[in-house]
Amino acid sequence: MPDQKNNSWGEGELRELLCLMMIGSCIWILGTQLGFFTVLIDATRTHQLQDLLMLTLCMSLGVVVAAIRKSFKLRKAMQDRDGAEAHAEAVARHDAMTGLANRRLFRETLEARIRVATGLPRVAVMLIDLDRFKPVNDVHGHAAGDAVLCVIADRLRALAPPQSLVARLGGDEFALLLDDGSDPEVLARLAQGVIAALSQPIAWTQSRLEIGATIGIATATEESRTAEALLHAADVAMYQGKRDGRGTYRFFHLDMGQALKARARLEGELRIGIEKGEIEPFYQPVVSLPGRDLIGFEVLARWNHPRLGILTPADFIGLAEETGLIADLTWSLMRRACRDARLWPAHLQLAINISPLQLRDPHLPEHILGILTETGFAPERLEIEITETALVNDLEAARTALKSLQSFGVRIALDDFGTGYSSLYHLRELQFDKLKIDRSYVESMRLSSERAKLVDAIIALGSSLGLLTTAEGIESGTSVDWLAGQGCTYGQGYLFGRPMNKATTDGLLTQWSDDEGRIVIAPSLSETSELAERELVALAPPPALRQAAA
Ligand code: C2E
Ligand code: CA
Ligand code: CA
């Protein structure tokens, strides 16, 4: 909006003009009354006063020119200001890096399109969240992250149908506003196209950066037809997509909203549950191979929920992470587990899982040490299990925290090895004590010789780096023999015991211990016959890979 003060008469200026006009009138009245003007009129006939008149005329001309100049200047200033304002407007509504619309413009456009619609608006909102973007920033730096965002913006621009609006809502979140969202099939095809395009690798210096996208789609319904409601619905659908395994798209439907309410309820209950000590440590045995001597337990959280019964981590660890409750949960669990384990034979160790998010806490080592001191549990008996995700997210933070813990004697295990995507990189960068081979490998090696070769290669890799290895998810006797044959140090799985509460663990410890203090988990009766036929061929000949590696 042009500035009103500069191009119209202000109140002061009007007052001044009126004053001047009144003074002029007074002079005129006085002049005529005193006969002054007759003298003047006579005088103009003289040569001098003709000059005076000319001078006055020239001066007036100067004033007129000055006024015109001023008006041009004013006009130019107004044009400049209009330009600057238009630029500021554009900046305020666009993302500086990608040039796409920002959240504000997206929202305003969405509101405008809903407003002009007669009946139910046909618009659709697609919320696009990048997968694996943060690791790109962390591992390759912010310049790489920025380059990726610009490439993504270009790809979205290229795919966006006419009349649609592409926006970057913030961070790695983009959105498409579609004018006509009436055909779900068209929307689904577009979402698939977007996912496929955004999953194409992006070249960056010597690397190929691989990211992906998860999409939530919402169309207007009688219940949700405001911009706010549509954005929220698309967000809920997108999170559902993330939970279902990323790289996918989901349409919002009402059940999701209800699930969200149930989740909010569970969150409140979790907060109280942690305070009340409803989260209990369960203990799963870990044995040495091939002798099956018990070497310790992994602590696995169980929620003794007053309304829903015993819940497993899949039901609440993610929730605890999202709501910032994970630290309280972990410390309460660790405190209880250390107290329980202090009473067990001193050679038994305790492994506890730390959420990837907790590695960002610079006080993590202090917290752990505080609990060890408080409970009187020796640091050498404690092992911290972390997953590769944690490392990819912030390698520097992880390195500092892990080094500090190791300096106190706490050991570090890399959990779920093989499920991340930069395992070798981490093995080279960080000093682990142990590798835990993910259950998915151990499970499938019974069925595929290729998988068996992979497990063998992981064990060989671990031993070449001087690391201990634990195979997770062992369910059958044959796997034990084969794994022990390949040099795997430890085993864990239902074959040796499921996660058990303290009372059961205490009972079994007494039952398993022999007179010399050895605790050996004997093969169960069912074990010999169990799965015998299902066990495959794949495990029989030790893969030639080990020789090749040697
Ligand atoms: P994880 O650390 O890989 O733990 C092993 C999981 O595999 C446990 O599931 C265990 O019950 C299961 N498991 C063990 N042996 C077998 C087997 O032979 N067959 C099969 N099918 N499954 C087996 P659980 O207790 O449901 O825990 C799942 C995941 O939740 C854990 O995976 C861990 O990542 C996480 N988790 C558990 N407790 C905690 C905790 O206190 N804090 C954090 N941050 N995460 C936890
Ligand atoms: Ca674990
Ligand atoms: Ca694991």
Side-chain angles (χ1 to χ4, degrees):
M1 280 275 284
D3 190 347
Q4 294 289 319
K5 274 186 207 148
N6 286 336
N7 62 0
S8 64
W9 289 92
E11 203 184 311
E13 285 162 320
L14 275 174
R15 215 177 293 134
E16 205 175 289
L17 189 70
L18 274 173
C19 269
L20 283 169
M21 283 165 71
M22 277 170 70
I23 291 170
S25 312
C26 290
I27 291 172
W28 175 253
I29 293 165
L30 265 174
T32 43
Q33 292 300 311
L34 298 175
F36 179 67
F37 288 114
T38 11
V39 180
L40 231 170
I41 290 159
D42 290 345
T44 48
R45 295 193 187 111
T46 74
H47 179 68
Q48 285 158 312
L49 279 180
Q50 266 182 8
D51 286 350
L52 201 66
L53 205 68
M54 285 308 290
L55 182 69
T56 317
L57 216 72
C58 288
M59 280 171 71
S60 314
L61 218 69
V63 171
V64 170
V65 171
I68 292 173
R69 259 175 59 89
K70 164 91 177 140
S71 113
F72 271 115
K73 266 191 185 162
L74 257 172
R75 202 152 165 215
K76 170 88 173 57
M78 275 164 61
Q79 276 171 350
D80 286 353
R81 201 185 40 238
D82 286 353
E85 271 166 5
H87 181 67
E89 277 283 286
V91 167
R93 285 178 166 70
H94 287 85
D95 171 49
M97 183 163 25
T98 58
L100 293 178
N102 65 9
R103 186 181 283 274
R104 183 172 161 192
L105 179 56
F106 188 84
R107 207 191 173 87
E108 286 172 356
T109 316
L110 178 57
E111 276 164 359
R113 293 199 188 169
I114 292 173
R115 214 177 306 123
V116 297
T118 45
L120 200 60
R122 293 167 67 171
V123 288
V125 171
M126 258 189 200
L127 208 69
I128 305 157
D129 195 87
L130 302 186
D131 301 331
R132 300 183 296 277
F133 174 69
K134 197 168 181 308
V136 167
N137 250 341
D138 292 344
V139 176
H140 299 276
H142 287 278
D146 291 354
V148 165
L149 292 175
C150 290
V151 172
I152 296 297
D154 288 343
R155 289 182 185 174
L156 285 175
R157 269 192 205 100
L159 282 167
Q163 307 303 323
S164 60
L165 178 72
V166 191
R168 178 177 172 221
L169 302 186
D172 60 349
E173 200 177 51
F174 293 82
L176 260 175
L177 169 56
L178 302 155
D179 235 10
D180 185 2
S182 52
D183 187 346
E185 273 182 32
V186 173
L187 293 177
R189 260 201 308 279
L190 178 63
Q192 280 162 353
V194 169
I195 293 170
L198 302 195
S199 308
Q200 293 299 314
I202 297 169
W204 171 255
T205 57
Q206 308 298 322
S207 320
R208 275 157 55 93
L209 307 177
E210 308 228 358
I211 56 159
T214 305
I215 299 180
I217 309 169
T219 49
T221 60
E222 286 303 339
E223 296 79 24
S224 63
R225 49 183 303 168
T226 62
E228 175 90 38
L230 274 172
L231 275 164
H232 178 69
D235 201 42
V236 170
M238 191 273 291
Y239 272 103
Q240 186 61 49
K242 290 258 178 199
R243 273 196 287 276
D244 292 348
R246 297 163 183 251
T248 177
Y249 64 92
R250 290 286 176 269
F251 282 91
F252 174 81
H253 54 81
L254 272 179
D255 292 354
M256 287 181 187
Q258 266 138 23
L260 217 68
K261 280 197 194 115
R263 204 172 151 77
R265 183 176 180 192
L266 206 65
E267 180 191 334
E269 290 172 337
L270 182 61
R271 211 173 282 277
I272 298 166
I274 295 170
E275 276 169 24
K276 284 189 169 170
E278 287 169 10
I279 318 295
E280 264 185 60
F282 269 48
Y283 302 101
Q284 185 176 33
V286 181
V287 301
S288 64
L289 298 179
R292 295 172 181 235
D293 283 72
L294 182 73
I295 62 128
F297 295 94
E298 176 174 1
V299 180
L300 293 161
R302 295 290 180 268
W303 182 2
N304 202 346
H305 193 287
R307 184 167 53 89
L308 304 168
I310 298 273
L311 299 182
T312 59
D315 298 318
F316 61 90
I317 291 290
L319 182 67
E321 287 175 336
E322 279 167 36
T323 52
L325 291 169
I326 190 68
D328 288 346
L329 186 153
T330 309
W331 307 139
S332 127
L333 200 71
M334 189 181 277
R335 213 167 267 123
R336 272 179 81 166
C338 288
R339 286 212 177 95
D340 290 351
R342 203 181 39 183
L343 306 172
W344 298 338
H347 70 279
L348 293 184
Q349 296 165 356
L350 204 59
I352 192 151
N353 296 283
I354 290 288
S355 158
L357 297 178
Q358 292 184 272
L359 272 193
R360 291 192 208 146
D361 175 6
H363 304 295
L364 180 90
E366 291 163 41
H367 273 302
I368 295 179
L369 258 143
I371 291 172
L372 289 172
T373 315
E374 180 192 324
T375 55
F377 193 71
E380 297 73 28
R381 291 180 68 186
L382 185 71
E383 187 165 275
I384 296 294
E385 295 193 3
I386 51 168
T387 57
E388 287 174 70
T389 348
L391 307 171
V392 176
N393 282 345
D394 195 340
L395 191 65
E396 250 344 283
R399 199 198 309 273
T400 316
L402 301 189
K403 272 217 165 113
S404 160
L405 282 169
Q406 281 171 324
S407 71
F408 299 117
V410 174
R411 275 161 297 104
I412 311 290
L414 181 54
D415 203 358
D416 303 345
F417 185 79
T419 54
Y421 54 93
S422 54
S423 318
L424 290 174
Y425 174 70
H426 291 133
L427 281 182
R428 202 188 61 209
E429 290 290 309
L430 301 162
Q431 303 268 307
F432 293 103
D433 300 287
K434 189 189 274 184
L435 267 190
K436 295 192 77 174
I437 308 168
D438 191 62
R439 193 172 82 216
S440 56
Y441 286 85
V442 180
E443 250 168 27
S444 60
M445 72 182 195
R446 294 190 273 121
L447 309 166
S448 133
S449 60
E450 288 308 311
R451 277 272 159 163
K453 280 182 197 164
L454 264 179
V455 173
D456 184 53
I458 296 175
I459 298 169
L461 176 74
S463 64
S464 74
L465 291 169
L467 303 179
L468 301 166
T469 38
T470 302
E472 297 187 294
I474 301 180
E475 292 184 354
S476 79
T478 317
S479 311
V480 176
D481 298 340
W482 187 82
L483 286 162
Q486 307 313 113
C488 183
T489 341
Y490 302 116
Q492 181 181 347
Y494 292 169
L495 181 73
F496 311 111
R498 289 179 181 252
M500 308 166 282
N501 66 13
K502 175 182 169 350
T504 315
T505 311
D506 285 345
L508 280 176
L509 276 177
T510 323
Q511 193 185 316
W512 287 335
S513 303
D514 68 12
D515 297 340
E516 286 128 42
R518 259 187 85 193
I519 309 172
V520 181
I521 299 184
S524 65
L525 279 178
S526 60
E527 209 179 294
T528 32
S529 57
E530 184 190 31
L531 300 162
E533 300 87 62
R534 273 209 272 145
E535 300 306 301
L536 55 276
V537 215
L539 305 184
L545 222 98
R546 179 176 295 282
Q547 282 105 43

Coordinates of all heavy atoms in Angstrom, one line a residue, residues 388-424:
E388 N 22.2 -48.7 14.6 CA 22.9 -47.9 13.7 C 22.2 -46.5 13.4 O 22.9 -45.5 13.1 CB 23.0 -48.6 12.4 CG 24.0 -49.7 12.5 CD 24.0 -50.6 11.2 OE1 24.4 -50.0 10.2 OE2 23.5 -51.7 11.2
T389 N 20.9 -46.5 13.5 CA 20.2 -45.2 13.3 C 20.8 -44.1 14.2 O 20.9 -43.0 13.7 CB 18.7 -45.4 13.7 OG1 18.4 -46.7 13.9 CG2 17.8 -44.7 12.7
A390 N 21.0 -44.5 15.4 CA 21.6 -43.5 16.3 C 22.9 -42.9 15.8 O 23.1 -41.7 16.0 CB 21.8 -44.2 17.7
L391 N 23.7 -43.7 15.2 CA 25.0 -43.3 14.7 C 24.9 -42.4 13.5 O 25.5 -41.4 13.4 CB 25.8 -44.5 14.4 CG 25.9 -45.5 15.6 CD1 26.6 -46.7 15.2 CD2 26.6 -44.8 16.8
V392 N 24.0 -42.8 12.6 CA 23.8 -42.1 11.4 C 23.3 -40.7 11.7 O 23.7 -39.7 11.1 CB 22.8 -42.8 10.5 CG1 22.6 -42.0 9.2 CG2 23.4 -44.1 10.1
N393 N 22.4 -40.6 12.7 CA 21.8 -39.3 13.1 C 22.9 -38.3 13.5 O 22.8 -37.1 13.1 CB 20.8 -39.5 14.2 CG 19.5 -40.0 13.6 OD1 19.3 -40.0 12.3 ND2 18.6 -40.5 14.4
D394 N 23.8 -38.7 14.4 CA 24.8 -37.7 14.8 C 26.0 -38.5 15.2 O 26.2 -38.8 16.4 CB 24.2 -36.9 16.0 CG 25.0 -35.7 16.2 OD1 26.2 -35.6 15.8 OD2 24.5 -34.7 16.8
L395 N 26.9 -38.6 14.3 CA 28.1 -39.4 14.5 C 29.0 -38.8 15.6 O 29.5 -39.5 16.4 CB 28.8 -39.6 13.2 CG 30.0 -40.6 13.2 CD1 29.4 -42.0 13.5 CD2 30.7 -40.6 11.9
E396 N 29.1 -37.5 15.5 CA 30.0 -36.8 16.5 C 29.6 -37.0 17.9 O 30.3 -37.3 18.8 CB 30.1 -35.3 16.1 CG 31.4 -34.9 15.5 CD 32.6 -35.8 15.7 OE1 33.1 -35.9 16.8 OE2 33.0 -36.5 14.8
A397 N 28.2 -36.7 18.1 CA 27.7 -36.9 19.4 C 27.9 -38.3 19.9 O 28.2 -38.5 21.1 CB 26.2 -36.5 19.4
A398 N 27.6 -39.3 19.0 CA 27.8 -40.7 19.4 C 29.2 -41.0 19.8 O 29.4 -41.6 20.8 CB 27.3 -41.5 18.2
R399 N 30.1 -40.5 19.0 CA 31.5 -40.8 19.3 C 31.9 -40.3 20.7 O 32.5 -41.0 21.5 CB 32.4 -40.1 18.2 CG 33.8 -40.6 18.1 CD 34.7 -39.7 17.4 NE 34.2 -39.2 16.2 CZ 34.4 -39.8 15.0 NH1 35.1 -40.9 14.9 NH2 33.9 -39.2 13.9
T400 N 31.5 -39.1 21.0 CA 31.9 -38.5 22.3 C 31.3 -39.3 23.4 O 31.9 -39.6 24.4 CB 31.3 -37.0 22.4 OG1 31.7 -36.4 21.1 CG2 31.9 -36.3 23.5
A401 N 29.9 -39.6 23.3 CA 29.2 -40.3 24.4 C 29.8 -41.7 24.6 O 30.1 -42.1 25.7 CB 27.8 -40.3 24.1
L402 N 30.1 -42.4 23.5 CA 30.6 -43.7 23.6 C 32.0 -43.8 24.2 O 32.3 -44.6 25.0 CB 30.5 -44.4 22.2 CG 29.2 -44.5 21.5 CD1 29.2 -45.3 20.3 CD2 28.1 -45.0 22.5
K403 N 32.8 -42.9 23.7 CA 34.2 -42.9 24.3 C 34.2 -42.6 25.8 O 34.9 -43.3 26.5 CB 35.0 -41.7 23.6 CG 35.6 -42.1 22.3 CD 37.0 -41.4 22.2 CE 37.8 -42.1 21.1 NZ 38.1 -41.3 20.0
S404 N 33.3 -41.7 26.2 CA 33.3 -41.4 27.6 C 32.8 -42.6 28.4 O 33.3 -42.9 29.4 CB 32.3 -40.2 27.7 OG 31.9 -40.1 29.0
L405 N 31.8 -43.3 27.9 CA 31.3 -44.4 28.6 C 32.3 -45.5 28.7 O 32.5 -46.2 29.7 CB 30.0 -45.0 27.9 CG 28.7 -44.2 28.2 CD1 27.6 -44.6 27.3 CD2 28.3 -44.4 29.6
Q406 N 33.0 -45.8 27.6 CA 34.0 -46.8 27.5 C 35.2 -46.5 28.5 O 35.7 -47.4 29.1 CB 34.5 -47.0 26.1 CG 33.5 -47.8 25.3 CD 33.9 -47.9 23.8 OE1 34.4 -46.9 23.2 NE2 33.7 -49.0 23.1
S407 N 35.4 -45.2 28.7 CA 36.5 -44.9 29.6 C 36.2 -45.3 31.0 O 37.1 -45.4 31.9 CB 36.9 -43.4 29.5 OG 35.8 -42.6 30.1
F408 N 34.9 -45.4 31.3 CA 34.5 -45.9 32.7 C 34.4 -47.4 32.7 O 34.1 -47.9 33.8 CB 33.2 -45.3 33.1 CG 33.2 -43.8 33.1 CD1 32.4 -43.0 32.3 CD2 34.0 -43.1 34.0 CE1 32.4 -41.7 32.3 CE2 34.1 -41.8 34.1 CZ 33.3 -41.0 33.2
G409 N 34.6 -48.1 31.6 CA 34.5 -49.5 31.7 C 33.2 -50.1 31.1 O 33.1 -51.3 31.0
V410 N 32.3 -49.2 30.7 CA 31.0 -49.7 30.1 C 31.3 -50.2 28.7 O 32.1 -49.5 28.0 CB 30.0 -48.6 30.2 CG1 28.7 -49.0 29.4 CG2 29.6 -48.2 31.6
R411 N 30.7 -51.3 28.3 CA 30.9 -51.8 26.9 C 29.8 -51.3 26.0 O 28.7 -51.1 26.4 CB 31.1 -53.3 26.9 CG 32.5 -53.8 27.2 CD 32.5 -55.2 27.6 NE 31.8 -55.4 28.9 CZ 30.6 -55.9 28.9 NH1 30.0 -56.4 27.9 NH2 30.0 -56.1 30.1
I412 N 30.1 -51.2 24.7 CA 29.2 -50.8 23.7 C 28.9 -51.8 22.7 O 29.9 -52.3 22.1 CB 29.6 -49.5 23.0 CG1 30.1 -48.4 24.1 CG2 28.5 -48.9 22.2 CD1 29.1 -47.8 24.9
A413 N 27.7 -52.2 22.5 CA 27.3 -53.1 21.4 C 26.6 -52.4 20.3 O 25.7 -51.5 20.6 CB 26.5 -54.2 22.0
L414 N 26.9 -52.8 19.1 CA 26.1 -52.2 17.9 C 25.0 -53.2 17.6 O 25.2 -54.4 17.3 CB 27.1 -52.1 16.7 CG 26.4 -51.5 15.4 CD1 25.8 -50.2 15.7 CD2 27.5 -51.3 14.4
D415 N 23.8 -52.8 17.9 CA 22.6 -53.6 17.8 C 22.1 -53.7 16.4 O 22.3 -52.8 15.6 CB 21.5 -53.0 18.7 CG 20.5 -54.0 19.2 OD1 20.6 -55.2 18.8 OD2 19.6 -53.6 20.0
D416 N 21.3 -54.8 16.1 CA 20.6 -54.9 14.9 C 21.5 -54.8 13.7 O 21.2 -54.1 12.7 CB 19.5 -53.9 14.7 CG 18.5 -54.0 15.9 OD1 18.5 -55.0 16.6 OD2 17.7 -53.1 16.1
F417 N 22.8 -55.3 13.8 CA 23.7 -55.0 12.7 C 23.2 -55.6 11.4 O 22.7 -56.7 11.3 CB 25.1 -55.7 13.1 CG 26.2 -55.4 12.1 CD1 26.8 -54.2 12.1 CD2 26.5 -56.3 11.1 CE1 27.8 -53.9 11.1 CE2 27.5 -56.0 10.1 CZ 28.1 -54.8 10.2
G418 N 23.4 -54.8 10.4 CA 22.9 -55.3 9.0 C 21.6 -54.7 8.6 O 21.2 -54.8 7.5
T419 N 20.9 -54.0 9.6 CA 19.6 -53.4 9.2 C 19.8 -51.9 8.8 O 18.9 -51.4 8.2 CB 18.6 -53.5 10.3 OG1 19.2 -52.9 11.5 CG2 18.2 -54.9 10.6
G420 N 20.9 -51.3 9.2 CA 21.1 -49.9 8.8 C 21.7 -49.9 7.4 O 21.8 -50.9 6.8
Y421 N 22.2 -48.7 7.0 CA 22.8 -48.7 5.7 C 24.2 -48.2 5.6 O 24.7 -47.9 4.5 CB 21.9 -47.9 4.7 CG 21.5 -46.6 5.2 CD1 22.3 -45.5 4.8 CD2 20.5 -46.3 6.1 CE1 22.0 -44.2 5.2 CE2 20.2 -45.1 6.5 CZ 21.0 -44.0 6.1 OH 20.7 -42.8 6.5
S422 N 24.8 -48.0 6.7 CA 26.2 -47.6 6.6 C 27.1 -48.3 7.7 O 27.9 -47.7 8.3 CB 26.4 -46.1 6.7 OG 25.8 -45.6 7.8
S423 N 26.8 -49.6 7.9 CA 27.4 -50.3 9.0 C 28.9 -50.3 8.9 O 29.6 -50.1 9.9 CB 27.0 -51.8 8.9 OG 25.6 -51.8 8.6
L424 N 29.5 -50.5 7.7 CA 30.9 -50.6 7.6 C 31.6 -49.3 8.0 O 32.6 -49.3 8.7 CB 31.3 -51.1 6.2 CG 30.9 -52.5 5.9 CD1 31.2 -52.8 4.5 CD2 31.7 -53.4 6.8

